[in-house]
Amino acid sequence: MMNRFRKWLYKPKRSDPQLLAQFYYADEELNQVAAELDSLDGRKDPQRCTLLVNQFRSCQDNVLNIINQIMDECIPSDRANRDFCVKFPEEIRHDNLAGQLWFGAECLSAGSIIMNREIESMAMRPLAKDLTRSLEELRNLIRDQALRDLNIYTEKMKESLKHFDVLFAEFELSYVSAMVPVKSPKEYYVQQEVIVLFCETVARALKLGYLTQDMIDDYEPALMFTIPRLAIV
């Protein structure tokens, strides 16, 4: 009863630009869509079910985007390291990856197998459960704070943000590595070494007159065979 009264009394305005207020309404919309999905029989209305699933994932993207902004503002120097993202294939690195990861974590937590990868799914399930539990606790904390004071980030919320950020980064690396080929640190290092070697080879070949700038500018097919051979020499 008191919670409902506090919600009615202190609920932020929808037009408020502050991050906690934005989160409050984004999270409320997510909960509404989730409730409708839970009550819907997808077999009777598959079209409506598909529409709601897409809307649900869009809401997840929005909530995570605001959480990310809160972390940038609240714990900018304590963010989890994400240097591993440079190893991801280009087609994986897109704006709604975070929402897909959340959706995947919930599916794994519920016992699903992701893309017929049973061994990888079983290995990731404990981490997925920790992540979804951490995210649920964080959402409750932020939602509660939005009803108290939009200008304050409590120490408890900061610690929860840090914990969630670390778990999300760990799950991101595990999940993407299981779904697509991702170079190991050693493979990535070797690739960088080869790139540097080829650059030095081209520079030396130009200096010695083995190649011309026109050949490079015109992307001469012969270069594809010449540069690796020169590098070996």
Side-chain angles (χ1 to χ4, degrees):
M1 183 69 180
M2 286 298 296
N3 284 338
R4 280 186 289 178
F5 178 73
R6 187 159 60 88
K7 181 178 178 181
W8 174 80
L9 190 62
Y10 297 109
K11 186 168 71 169
K13 293 181 179 179
R14 189 176 288 274
S15 59
D16 196 317
Q18 290 175 280
L19 289 174
L20 292 184
Q22 290 182 36
F23 174 87
Y24 181 87
Y25 285 102
D27 195 66
E28 193 172 69
E29 183 183 1
L30 174 61
N31 287 333
Q32 289 171 355
V33 175
E36 188 174 352
L37 258 177
D38 287 342
S39 63
L40 181 72
D41 188 341
R43 291 169 297 183
K44 292 181 179 178
D45 193 350
Q47 194 170 12
R48 177 63 180 165
C49 182
T50 300
L51 182 66
L52 283 173
V53 167
N54 291 334
Q55 188 178 349
F56 180 74
R57 295 180 69 170
S58 176
C59 289
Q60 286 184 314
D61 283 334
N62 193 28
V63 166
L64 286 176
N65 180 48
I66 297 172
I67 289 177
N68 197 53
Q69 292 179 61
I70 291 174
M71 288 192 289
D72 284 341
E73 184 175 291
C74 182
I75 53 167
S77 58
D78 294 312
R79 295 298 308 270
N81 190 308
R82 281 186 168 77
D83 290 345
F84 57 80
C85 289
V86 299
K87 300 189 295 181
F88 293 171
E90 192 64 37
E91 65 272 15
I92 293 296
R93 289 182 278 175
H94 47 68
D95 291 340
N96 62 343
L97 174 60
Q100 289 188 15
L101 292 170
W102 184 1
F103 190 78
E106 289 193 328
C107 291
L108 285 168
S109 298
S112 299
I113 302 297
I114 303 296
M115 293 177 64
N116 296 320
R117 296 177 183 269
E118 186 172 356
I119 295 176
E120 292 90 340
S121 295
M122 290 176 63
M124 285 188 289
R125 187 160 289 119
L127 179 57
K129 288 182 177 180
D130 287 345
L131 175 60
T132 53
R133 189 183 307 115
S134 172
L135 181 52
E136 186 62 31
E137 292 172 359
L138 177 60
R139 288 169 62 197
N140 289 333
L141 278 174
I142 300 177
R143 196 163 50 237
D144 184 67
Q145 187 59 32
L147 295 173
R148 294 176 184 273
D149 191 331
L150 296 174
N151 299 301
I152 294 177
Y153 296 125
T154 64
E155 285 303 315
K156 187 175 182 179
M157 184 164 43
K158 289 179 182 178
E159 290 304 313
S160 184
L161 285 166
K162 292 176 189 176
H163 182 59
F164 164 72
D165 198 27
V166 169
L167 288 176
F168 198 87
E170 290 178 8
F171 184 75
E172 182 177 7
L173 178 58
S174 299
Y175 188 91
V176 175
S177 298
M179 297 304 113
V180 297
V182 174
K183 290 184 175 66
S184 67
K186 182 178 180 180
E187 289 172 323
Y188 191 69
Y189 176 77
V190 169
Q191 184 184 43
Q192 288 180 315
E193 290 286 290
V194 171
I195 291 171
V196 171
L197 175 62
F198 281 10
C199 288
E200 291 176 347
T201 299
V202 170
R204 183 170 173 79
L206 283 169
K207 184 178 180 180
L208 296 176
Y210 297 149
L211 303 175
T212 66
Q213 190 62 50
D214 287 341
M215 291 173 66
I216 295 172
D217 293 341
D218 294 337
Y219 298 101
E220 285 284 341
L223 284 178
M224 299 301 104
F225 302 98
T226 302
I227 293 175
R229 289 173 179 172
L230 286 172
I232 292 171
V233 173

